[in-house]
Amino acid sequence: MSEQTFRMNRYVRHGRLIVGSVAAVGFLAKMVFAARTRGPADVFFFWAFAQHIEKVGPVRIYAHPMPRLPVYNHPPLAGWMLLGLDRIARLGVEFGTLIRTPACLADFAAALLVFEIVRRRRPVRTAVACGIGVTLSPVLVPTSGYHGNTDSVAVTLALAAAWLLADRRAPVAAGVVAALSISVKFVPVVALPALAVAAWRGGRREFARFSAALGAVLLVVWGPVLATVPGALRANVLEYKGGNFRLWGIVKFAEWLGFSNESIAVLRGPGHFVVVLICVAAGVWPAWRRPDRAPLAVAITLSVLLLLSTASGVQYLAWPVAALFAIGFWEGLAYSALAGILASWVYTIQKPTRWSYDQQVLGAVAWAALLVGVVSGYAAVFRSREREPGAPGEVAVAAPAGAAPLGVR
């Protein structure tokens, strides 16, 4: 082993230890927060869903009437998760704490994952800053530690699939994780085409292994529901468009610009599918051009997903946090600071579905920071030269498309 390689390995080990330690403290802090707060209405809704799943099972829950509850729009794996958490709660553990545990664990994993993604493309000190940034993000503290939906879990799994595919050259594991991602929450489905394209660019064998693993897991998880209640699954999950709130992004801008209710309804109806296609294209193009940077392509996709979202929800603000830190520290910090203030403000003062005008303006500023992050993401994908991962001050030519990624393993 050369002296340079030994030094790079030492940098990476030390950086991984620092990020892991901070992430562990962050996880414990969020869990304490979760244990000491009741959380929003979603905590009760998840508990109520779990009670119904206990009666009819996680397959028939989609066709099971649940008066006075929102639409059960969660993919099949979420139902099995709720069933398991309910069984644990019957042993004496508070369900409100349990339901927020997966998101807190996902944030812990996301910090380490972002470190691994960034350190292969940037200096280790930058990777450490990005990993710590995920842990300390003021967006993830309230969305994971207080709200506790499955958004952070799905996003982390989507990024993990891209990392496994591009950086670890493990297409089978990438396919499995990608399937789990959309089986927890359906929104990362927009990233699947980018992953498939990156796998195809890696060779037919890699694409076949990725596709086989993806298909096998989807068959096991989704197959029973598709065979039993396909219509209810399609209506509740596959065609779900979010709530009717006009709090964020292009729907809010359309209202401010004086668009009619009919025009906004079209935007949220048929226009919703156009937005999905744009999100897909946003990730497919960089994945095709630079398959070795598939994690950045997925990060861009997840960011564009919120940027153009026609639905509003405070918990949705968590979608691009890890993605933006994977793109760069300042991109992640700018968005996290603005969106974090917004999330904490909304959760502290009033119901999460009622934003004041000032909060909506702050949301527009956070939206602008997200847009800047997306543009920066494209610049990072197509940057011809990058700083050597691991060794500060040195410069290396980026790996060509389809080649094994730079950096130590």
Side-chain angles (χ1 to χ4, degrees), residues 85-284:
L85 294 179
D86 185 65
R87 298 284 175 84
I88 297 174
R90 292 174 186 273
L91 301 177
V93 183
E94 177 64 37
F95 184 87
T97 302
L98 289 173
I99 192 58
R100 288 175 275 186
T101 301
C104 296
L105 282 171
D107 291 347
F108 171 80
L112 295 172
L113 179 62
V114 166
F115 169 79
E116 296 296 339
I117 291 172
V118 175
R119 63 99 171 168
R120 289 176 175 272
R121 296 162 178 86
R122 307 289 293 277
V124 169
R125 64 167 68 96
T126 302
V128 170
C130 291
I132 292 176
V134 172
T135 296
L136 301 182
S137 171
V139 178
L140 297 181
V141 172
T143 55
S144 296
Y146 179 75
H147 196 116
N149 211 305
T150 54
D151 300 84
S152 292
V153 179
V155 166
T156 300
L157 289 172
L159 279 175
W163 172 72
L164 287 166
L165 186 63
D167 292 354
R168 302 304 301 174
R169 306 305 294 267
V172 173
V176 170
V177 173
L180 295 178
S181 174
I182 66 170
S183 299
V184 172
K185 189 149 192 165
F186 197 58
V187 288
V189 71
V190 295
L192 283 189
L195 290 170
V197 166
W200 175 262
R201 294 279 281 143
R204 292 185 179 181
R205 182 183 179 187
E206 185 164 315
F207 176 75
R209 296 174 70 189
F210 171 81
S211 301
L214 174 70
V217 174
L218 290 179
L219 181 62
V220 171
V221 177
W222 291 74
V225 185
L226 287 170
T228 307
V229 285
L233 178 70
R234 183 183 67 252
N236 292 3
V237 180
L238 304 183
E239 297 178 355
Y240 182 72
K241 300 179 180 64
N244 295 318
F245 308 109
R246 302 176 184 178
L247 306 173
W248 167 272
I250 58 176
V251 171
K252 184 75 251 180
F253 296 151
E255 184 181 76
W256 279 344
L257 292 172
F259 281 62
S260 66
N261 290 333
E262 291 76 14
S263 299
I264 294 177
V266 171
L267 180 63
R268 294 180 54 82
H272 167 76
F273 296 102
V274 176
V275 167
V276 170
L277 291 177
I278 294 174
C279 293
V280 168
V284 165

